Amino acid sequence: KKFQTGLNAIIDQAVKKHTASAIVPQIDGLSSVFLLLTNAIATSSFSSLPPSAVKALAAGSSASTGSKSFIYCSSMTSATATDEIVGRILHRTIALYCKILSKQSDDGEDGESRDLVRLIGDDSSDVRCSAAAEAMARCLANPNASSQPAAVISSLQTILTYTRASSKSADALIASLFRHVNVLSNKEAATGLSLNDTRKARELHHPIDENYNKLPNVRGKCSVTASHRGFDPNA
């Protein structure tokens, strides 16, 4: 009980810090939410989740939650490529809450609006992906995922299993992943252009070793000491 109270306090503090500034990812808050979700799944006590955690998690069903939730903000999703903890537990957090939402839903309850990973909008010209789908795309594409592909794939399977088909979670994941990879490709291309813009930039990025003492000695018919039968190659 004291442990859960402490985690609740950490989450409340993370919400306050995120409200003040969204630049720094609230990794302590994410870790606390993950631990509470794990305990809720193990004990089937879904109602024990604090309101602050539920609000932060549920914000993932919206298309724009950058200033509303510390779980799906830009600083947190960007940290999946740089922070080992975020890279390991963010996708698991989303998957666990999808599972909890599925178990909580009733037959007469509208579950589509509650699904985290989903497409938003009926008009094909204005279809957007939920913030949770965008976060999962970061987890799928970040470099840390290469060291643990089985864990990310397991979270992906959990999301697809416990999300309603009408929410089109698979389409949302594919669209988000395609958009994120395209953004990374454009950034890489822009970086390559800037590095190759001038010779000075190229040499700063790829230094040229102009120590001629390290150049290999030429041997054979074209060497300085070879006999060229009267032909001077320097003529």
Side-chain angles (χ1 to χ4, degrees), residues 25 27 74-87 138 144:
I27 301 177
S74 177
S75 59
M76 183 68 75
T77 55
S78 297
T80 56
T82 58
D83 189 276
E84 188 70 19
I85 296 178
V86 179
R138 295 291 188 97
N144 285 333

Side-chain angles (χ1 to χ4, degrees), residues 43 48 88 98 106 154 175 229:
T43 59
S48 63
R88 286 181 177 273
C98 287
D106 299 326
S154 177
R229 297 181 180 179

Side-chain angles (χ1 to χ4, degrees), residues 9 17 34 50 59 66 75 98 102 108 118 136 162 188 196 199 201 225:
K17 290 181 179 179
F34 173 71
S75 59
C98 287
S102 177
R118 64 192 185 103
M136 276 302 301
Y162 290 99
E188 180 65 21
N196 294 318
R199 178 175 178 177
T225 58

Side-chain angles (χ1 to χ4, degrees), residues 85-96:
I85 296 178
V86 179
R88 286 181 177 273
I89 69 174
L90 180 57
H91 60 89
R92 288 185 171 97
T93 300
I94 297 173
L96 287 175

Side-chain angles (χ1 to χ4, degrees), residues 156-175:
L156 182 62
Q157 291 173 340
T158 300
I159 292 172
L160 296 176
T161 300
Y162 290 99
T163 303
R164 300 170 186 263
S166 56
S167 295
K168 299 181 179 180
S169 57
D171 295 339
L173 288 168
I174 293 174

Side-chain angles (χ1 to χ4, degrees), residues 105-188:
S105 63
D106 299 326
D107 293 337
E109 189 174 0
D110 184 11
E112 293 183 25
S113 60
R114 300 181 60 198
D115 287 334
L116 288 182
V117 182
R118 64 192 185 103
L119 285 179
I120 302 173
D122 298 328
D123 187 2
S124 58
S125 61
D126 189 27
V127 173
R128 296 169 294 169
C129 301
S130 65
E134 298 286 353
M136 276 302 301
R138 295 291 188 97
C139 295
L140 289 166
N142 77 62
N144 285 333
S146 61
S147 62
Q148 47 167 347
V152 182
I153 293 174
S154 177
S155 296
L156 182 62
Q157 291 173 340
T158 300
I159 292 172
L160 296 176
T161 300
Y162 290 99
T163 303
R164 300 170 186 263
S166 56
S167 295
K168 299 181 179 180
S169 57
D171 295 339
L173 288 168
I174 293 174
S176 299
L177 184 60
F178 178 83
R179 179 163 51 252
H180 179 58
V181 172
N182 189 50
V183 169
L184 291 178
S185 177
N186 290 336
K187 288 183 178 179
E188 180 65 21

Side-chain angles (χ1 to χ4, degrees), residues 2-17:
K2 292 182 179 179
F3 182 68
Q4 290 186 359
T5 303
L7 293 178
N8 295 347
I10 294 175
I11 294 173
D12 293 337
Q13 189 67 21
V15 172
K16 293 179 181 178
K17 290 181 179 179

